[in-house]
């Protein structure tokens, strides 16, 4: 058995996953900046990723999605962030 600590292990795993979905490299680029598929963005969002994170040069995931012509990702981010002026 797991000695009754399965719940604490699961909680620790969620904490690790949260840190990983928001882990930035030296340039401040996070997984949300690299996503080119809406399914990836949904997964990141579902695990608490910061989808408005800014990299070292001031780029957000929405900016990057527009720059690489990932229209479906840009639309998803705009829907998610509909209160943001960048999406109007």
């Amino acid at each position: 058995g797991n000695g009754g600590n399965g719940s604490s292990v699961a909680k620790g795993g969620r904490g690790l996953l949260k840190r990983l979905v928001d882990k930035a490299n030296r340039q401040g680029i996070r997984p949300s900046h690299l996503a080119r598929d809406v399914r990836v963005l949904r997964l990141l969002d579902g695990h608490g990723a910061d989808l408005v994170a800014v990299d070292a040069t001031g780029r957000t995931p929405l900016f990057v999605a527009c720059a690489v012509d990932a229209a479906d990702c840009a639309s998803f981010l705009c829907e998610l962030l509909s209160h943001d002026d960048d999406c109007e």
Side-chain angles (χ1 to χ4, degrees):
N2 63 15
N5 66 359
S7 178
S8 63
V9 170
K11 288 178 186 174
R14 283 191 298 273
L16 175 61
L17 187 56
K18 169 63 177 144
R19 288 192 302 273
L20 289 174
V21 299
D22 271 339
K23 181 77 173 159
N25 68 12
R26 290 181 189 158
Q27 293 82 31
I29 297 170
R30 300 168 189 249
S32 56
H33 289 93
L34 301 174
R36 301 294 180 266
D37 187 305
V38 173
R39 293 173 295 184
V40 173
L41 287 171
R42 283 189 182 118
L43 181 69
L44 292 170
D45 183 47
H47 288 288
D50 182 359
L51 298 181
V52 294
V54 178
D55 70 10
T57 61
R59 296 175 296 194
T60 64
L62 177 58
F63 176 91
V64 175
C66 292
V68 301
D69 201 25
D72 55 339
C73 290
S75 293
F76 172 78
L77 290 166
C78 281
E79 288 175 25
L80 194 67
L81 309 168
S82 61
H83 65 279
D84 190 339
D85 291 339
D86 289 343
C87 298
E88 294 181 7

